[in-house]
Amino acid sequence: MDTGATGATIIDPELAERAESQDLLTLGVEEEYLLVDAVEPRAVEAVEEVFDFVPPELGEAVQHELTRGQIEVASPPQLDLHVLGEALRELRSAVAGAAEQAGARLLAMGAGPAAGPNVRIVDKPRYHRMRERFGDLSPGPGLCGTHVHVSVPDDETGVQILNHLRPWLPIFQAATTNSPLFSGRDTGYASWRSLMWERWPTVGPTPYLRSFAEYEQLVGDLEASGAMLDEGMLYWYARLSARYPTVEIRMGDVMPTADDAVLLAALARALVATLLNEVRDGKPAPDVPHPLLMAAHWRSAHDGLEGLNIDMATREPRPAWKLMRQLFDYVRPGLERHGDLETATVLMGRLRSHGTGAARQRAILAQGGSISDVVDRFARLTRGDVPEPAAG
């Protein structure tokens, strides 16, 4: 969820100039995490105590989220995927360390897996206005996602890229599923966060838009309707950033490890680069009916990568992993152009071996583990303390 806090650092002019001169795209990643008790799997209202121990050099890279049981990090924009990965690992490690000093643990899961009382919102005027306007739309400790920012040359081009992105985002969502457990039970969905998040009035697939002027008009109309307080509450699965010259892909759960997030970022940049070429060539965006997109996103939330999804070209169900492989092959030239192909290939293999976060959580339960065991394991994965064996 975007609650209006400062996100990724503004792109350094020298970095932007280098990206433009080499015809490359910059990347930034935002991740939201849960805070849980040091021993039990329940959420804790510890965010202010955690901030007391966050290293000051991290500055605005660490932010509040909506509830007192959440915290958010934002990487600085990068061209180099390896540098991005190191930044995410350092942020996770530093914030996890601060959480432990505050008597809590950092947890990269999309929703709270254990039963417990609702966590209060952070005491900030904007959050109180959100609660007054929209009520209790996020029960539990909060909902945690991953947002990937990819640079675009201008807003008009960005809107056309949003149109081209629409049929690809369900498979991205399937790859990020990491919230099958909620309030002490398996919900039957790979991403229960997705179902809870859809309660907010502006959540859903990005509509097809003819121009940036139409984009701005619709944003204004939504604000006037009362469905959102401001542009920060435009919760489409992809949108133009209100603060940075980027397209923001934002429908996914937070992922278990920094490597998972790096893979998502690499594929997102390669996809935007591929689509940018199509926009420049004047290729029209696919005409995908909105109800079919809704069905595909529901399927993503339900099945993850372990089941089926909808092939938008044929409109037929296919194994989700085959669609993921199809995406990888489609964006291969973009991966090569940015020097990311080798890393993405290795990380894709690991994801195939381990499964999604949802599959990894369920594997622990299937082997006789408890929700406490799931939280223990995922807290270590979040921090990056342990290597991960293949699921199954």
Side-chain angles (χ1 to χ4, degrees):
M1 179 179 294
D2 187 324
T3 53
T6 301
T9 306
I10 294 174
I11 296 175
D12 179 79
E14 182 178 340
L15 179 67
E17 182 178 349
R18 185 154 57 95
E20 184 176 0
S21 68
Q22 298 175 29
D23 195 25
L24 299 175
L25 306 179
T26 61
L27 266 181
V29 173
E30 299 170 7
E31 294 189 310
E32 301 157 354
Y33 312 115
L34 297 171
L35 296 170
V36 297
D37 183 77
V39 178
E40 300 178 9
R42 59 180 173 82
V44 291
E45 294 186 349
V47 67
E48 301 304 338
E49 292 81 358
V50 173
F51 268 106
D52 288 340
F53 295 103
V54 170
E57 61 269 21
L58 295 184
E60 292 190 348
V62 185
Q63 294 285 335
H64 287 92
E65 246 296 323
L66 179 63
T67 78
R68 302 182 192 191
Q70 294 174 280
I71 198 164
E72 178 180 5
V73 303
S75 77
Q78 304 289 350
L79 275 176
D80 189 306
L81 189 68
H82 294 286
V83 176
L84 175 73
E86 284 303 309
L88 286 175
R89 281 184 278 274
E90 289 172 7
L91 283 167
R92 282 179 172 232
S93 178
V95 179
E100 289 166 14
Q101 288 180 278
R105 289 178 290 173
L106 196 70
L107 189 64
M109 283 188 185
N118 285 356
V119 175
R120 292 173 294 172
I121 61 171
V122 169
D123 188 16
K124 289 192 173 184
R126 188 171 189 276
Y127 300 160
H128 287 297
R129 291 198 304 274
M130 291 173 67
R131 177 57 58 86
E132 289 167 5
R133 172 75 62 84
F134 301 102
D136 189 14
L137 293 184
S138 297
L143 308 177
C144 296
T146 300
H147 307 160
V148 180
H149 288 260
V150 183
S151 62
V152 291
D154 55 75
D155 290 330
E156 201 66 58
T157 302
V159 168
Q160 299 310 314
I161 289 173
L162 292 179
N163 290 337
H164 283 261
L165 275 171
R166 296 169 77 242
W168 295 103
L169 294 186
I171 202 62
F172 269 92
Q173 182 181 2
T176 70
T177 50
N178 187 30
S179 53
L181 309 178
F182 182 71
S183 197
R185 64 185 178 87
D186 190 322
T187 64
Y189 281 79
S191 174
W192 188 243
R193 166 192 165 273
S194 297
L195 275 292
M196 291 196 292
W197 191 35
E198 287 174 2
R199 301 175 183 193
W200 290 85
T202 58
V203 171
T206 311
Y208 184 92
L209 298 160
R210 290 166 294 183
S211 65
F212 179 57
E214 185 178 10
Y215 183 99
E216 287 189 303
Q217 178 65 54
L218 186 51
V219 169
D221 291 343
L222 288 170
E223 287 187 44
S225 76
M228 59 189 199
L229 296 179
D230 50 43
E231 194 170 350
M233 291 188 68
L234 186 70
Y235 296 149
W236 293 341
Y237 295 153
R239 69 181 187 186
L240 301 181
S241 171
R243 299 182 294 269
Y244 313 109
T246 63
V247 164
E248 184 182 1
I249 296 172
R250 46 176 296 109
M251 72 291 123
D253 290 355
V254 66
M255 303 187 79
T257 70
D259 278 352
D260 293 320
V262 167
L263 174 61
L264 179 70
L267 293 175
R269 174 164 66 177
L271 179 58
V272 171
T274 302
L275 299 178
L276 180 57
N277 289 336
E278 294 186 358
V279 170
R280 288 169 173 169
D281 291 342
K283 184 176 179 180
D287 181 15
V288 181
H290 191 83
L292 188 63
L293 277 179
M294 292 290 291
H297 280 288
W298 174 84
R299 194 86 204 216
S300 298
H302 187 271
D303 289 21
L305 284 178
E306 286 68 40
L308 300 177
N309 211 296
I310 300 171
D311 185 329
M312 289 298 170
T314 65
R315 303 193 180 187
E316 296 177 352
R318 292 183 59 196
W321 264 109
K322 288 189 176 180
L323 296 175
M324 187 69 178
R325 185 74 237 183
Q326 179 179 302
L327 167 66
F328 191 95
D329 292 341
Y330 176 67
V331 305
R332 182 182 294 269
L335 292 169
E336 290 178 336
R337 174 174 140 200
H338 286 88
D340 299 342
L341 181 59
E342 182 178 354
T343 298
T345 300
V346 171
L347 296 180
M348 184 80 161
R350 289 182 188 172
L351 181 62
R352 182 61 169 141
S353 175
H354 301 325
T356 61
R360 293 175 230 186
Q361 291 184 47
R362 286 168 166 161
I364 295 170
L365 297 179
Q367 294 162 8
S370 65
I371 288 180
S372 289
D373 295 325
V374 173
V375 170
D376 290 347
R377 178 68 182 178
F378 271 63
R380 294 195 296 272
L381 290 175
T382 301
R383 182 164 184 163
D385 284 346
V386 291
E388 188 174 15

